[in-house]
Amino acid sequence: QDPRERHGSKKRVKIHPHTVTAKYATHTPYPGDDGYDDAPSFEDFGSFLEETSDRKQLTESKKWPLTLFGSRDKDTAPKPQGSGKGVGEQLASFGEASVSASRLTWVGLLGAALAHGCLIVLTRLASERFSLGPLFLVLVRSIVQLLSVAVPLHRGESPFGPEGYRLRLLCYGIAYSLSLCCAYSSLTFVSAGNATTMWRLATTALSATLAFLLLEERLGLADGITIAAGLCGLGLVLLPTADETNVDSPTDPVVFWRSAFGWSLSALAGLWMALALVGYRSLKERVGVGTALFTVSWTGCLLAPASLALLQEGWSWPVSAPAWGLVLGLVACSVAAFLGMTHALTRLHPALVSASQSLEVSVAMLLHLAVLPAAPTAPEVVGNVMVVLSVGWLVAMKLLPSRGGGRRQREEYEEILDSPIK
């Protein structure tokens, strides 16, 4: 027995795909303090595991007992291990791959936020200039997005998802489509800016809560503080203007209840979207982005007409080339936003994904000022600045420290290789 074990110290072991490291502690660690602060995050470590063939084969043998599609085993061949590649080189390769993948993920998220901001402005222009109802636009984009069925068919996959996960995928599609229907229906009762801001605020807050309750995924302290600052910014944007708070004018009960119903729909849309984000997060290893897009499309084709009939919103087809161009631009923005956001869910916490999309409020405000010049209020300006700073800080925290982190990990493993504990 090791003399350090006899004197009451505890040996703690960390298992790496190719290395087992041990660490001795002379005190009882606090809960959550495992002494490995420089370990990569779960999204970076996941990309490393995907490139590690022995762990990949082990994962597939345990989680994929039956091959879902015949081409998977044909294309996957075991790679020989022990080719002489040192741990230092592996860690260097892992660090470079994880940084590159994280950058692409955040670029996609920021692009999705820009597309979401364009969606808000295009939806408003379609309603004001061409009298196209919001729910009608949801139906049109859902019909066009049915073309995404070509992606799973091209890969030899079922468009309705793998067996055993189709019910969960259906629930995801229904939740996502219900969120869109509720959000776009609320535009009939409240302004587009307020509806979008409330939708995003509820989605971010509820996705953090549901991810913890359903998936046991926690946010780090720094991430939580940054997201809370962004939510405070969204709250400032929602503050009523002087005209809305004029207590001298009598309030029409019909106007009040219509507004209350619109706010309720926006909050309900946030709940459904949070459920959808958490739902896809649990399916990320089984369902591709193309299959998810097709699921959202065909469920939207069913729920959008039902919502149109329920709210008795009239049908109005585009009759001019500019109107059709606007509708096609709206569809392109919706596809781009969906792809960027859904791909990010395979690597990032749902609350981080939703918080990054808060930029859509700032983008929509800038585009709205360019199209319809109007001076924003002071709370709107301060709130949008807080949103931009919070998202920028999130991106900086996720990307900038990774270089130093990878270097520290490499030095730690090089030191362990020279030690007698292997």
Side-chain angles (χ1 to χ4, degrees):
Q1 185 181 9
D2 193 286
R4 287 171 289 188
E5 299 260 348
R6 291 198 299 266
H7 285 86
S9 62
K10 296 183 179 180
K11 183 174 75 171
R12 292 135 65 197
V13 177
K14 178 184 178 184
I15 300 178
H16 186 269
H18 294 291
T19 310
V20 178
T21 62
K23 200 168 187 179
Y24 286 91
T26 58
H27 65 282
T28 303
Y30 294 100
D33 180 16
D34 55 1
Y36 296 103
D37 295 333
D38 293 334
S41 59
F42 67 90
E43 61 264 23
D44 293 340
F45 195 66
S47 65
F48 179 64
L49 293 183
E50 291 176 2
E51 297 181 356
T52 309
S53 58
D54 57 346
R55 173 58 187 265
K56 185 177 180 181
Q57 294 168 6
L58 178 61
T59 304
E60 290 176 354
S61 64
K62 288 186 176 181
K63 293 186 177 181
W64 299 66
L66 297 177
T67 304
L68 296 180
F69 313 105
S71 60
R72 189 171 186 88
D73 284 342
K74 294 178 184 179
D75 298 338
T76 305
K79 298 180 182 179
Q81 299 298 317
S83 57
K85 201 173 184 180
V87 175
E89 297 179 7
Q90 294 175 13
L91 287 173
S93 175
F94 158 59
E96 294 171 0
S98 62
V99 169
S100 176
S102 295
R103 286 174 178 170
L104 290 177
T105 299
W106 282 100
V107 167
L109 271 178
L110 297 180
L114 177 61
H116 275 132
C118 295
L119 268 177
I120 299 172
V121 177
L122 291 178
T123 301
R124 183 168 183 174
L125 289 177
S127 177
E128 294 179 353
R129 297 190 177 181
F130 301 103
S131 300
L132 300 177
L135 285 175
F136 172 76
L137 296 176
V138 174
L139 178 60
V140 171
R141 61 189 269 190
S142 298
I143 294 174
V144 176
Q145 288 172 178
L146 288 175
L147 298 174
S148 61
V149 70
V151 176
L153 291 179
H154 177 70
R155 296 181 177 179
E157 303 175 355
S158 171
F160 300 99
E163 294 183 3
Y165 296 90
R166 291 177 180 174
L167 180 59
R168 292 166 60 183
L169 181 61
L170 174 63
C171 293
Y172 157 76
I174 292 176
Y176 197 101
S177 298
L178 281 176
S179 176
L180 291 181
C181 291
C182 290
Y184 279 73
S185 298
S186 67
L187 299 179
T188 308
F189 307 98
V190 295
S191 66
N194 289 338
T196 304
T197 306
M198 184 63 188
W199 182 21
R200 184 56 55 195
L201 191 152
T203 300
T204 304
L206 292 174
S207 60
T209 305
L210 292 176
F212 173 73
L213 295 177
L214 301 179
L215 302 180
E216 297 184 354
E217 290 189 5
R218 298 173 175 83
L219 284 170
L221 180 60
D223 292 341
I225 294 175
T226 307
I227 290 177
L231 293 179
C232 291
L234 293 178
L236 288 177
V237 175
L238 287 176
L239 288 179
T241 60
D243 295 335
E244 295 173 345
T245 56
N246 189 2
V247 295
D248 296 333
S249 60
T251 302
D252 187 356
V254 176
V255 174
F256 171 79
W257 286 112
R258 280 177 59 89
S259 178
F261 182 65
W263 286 103
S264 301
L265 283 178
S266 299
L268 186 60
L271 173 61
W272 286 119
M273 182 57 70
L275 286 171
L277 296 180
V278 173
Y280 185 78
R281 176 72 181 168
S282 66
L283 294 170
K284 61 186 178 67
E285 297 180 357
R286 310 295 190 202
V287 179
V289 177
T291 304
L293 179 58
F294 174 70
T295 303
V296 169
S297 302
W298 73 262
T299 52
C301 289
L302 298 179
L303 294 176
S307 301
L308 280 169
L310 183 63
L311 296 178
Q312 298 180 355
E313 183 176 310
W315 294 71
S316 177
W317 289 90
V319 294
S320 61
W324 277 111
L326 188 146
V327 170
L328 293 179
L330 189 146
V331 172
C333 289
S334 67
V335 172
F338 181 89
L339 295 179
M341 190 172 65
T342 307
H343 171 71
L345 285 173
T346 63
R347 296 176 56 85
L348 298 174
H349 192 285
L352 295 177
V353 174
S354 179
S356 67
Q357 299 308 294
S358 301
L359 280 178
E360 66 180 349
V361 178
S362 304
V363 172
M365 185 190 73
L366 293 176
L367 293 177
H368 181 67
L369 291 178
V371 177
L372 300 172
T377 63
E380 287 179 344
V381 174
V382 175
N384 280 285
V385 169
M386 290 181 63
V387 169
V388 172
L389 291 178
S390 65
V391 176
W393 183 251
L394 272 179
V395 176
M397 284 194 304
K398 296 301 177 183
L399 297 185
L400 295 182
S402 56
R403 297 178 180 177
R407 195 179 305 115
R408 290 193 300 269
Q409 293 165 12
R410 210 173 305 127
E411 293 173 355
E412 176 185 351
Y413 275 89
E414 288 174 354
E415 180 182 355
I416 290 173
L417 285 177
D418 297 333
S419 69
I421 304 174
K422 297 292 179 68

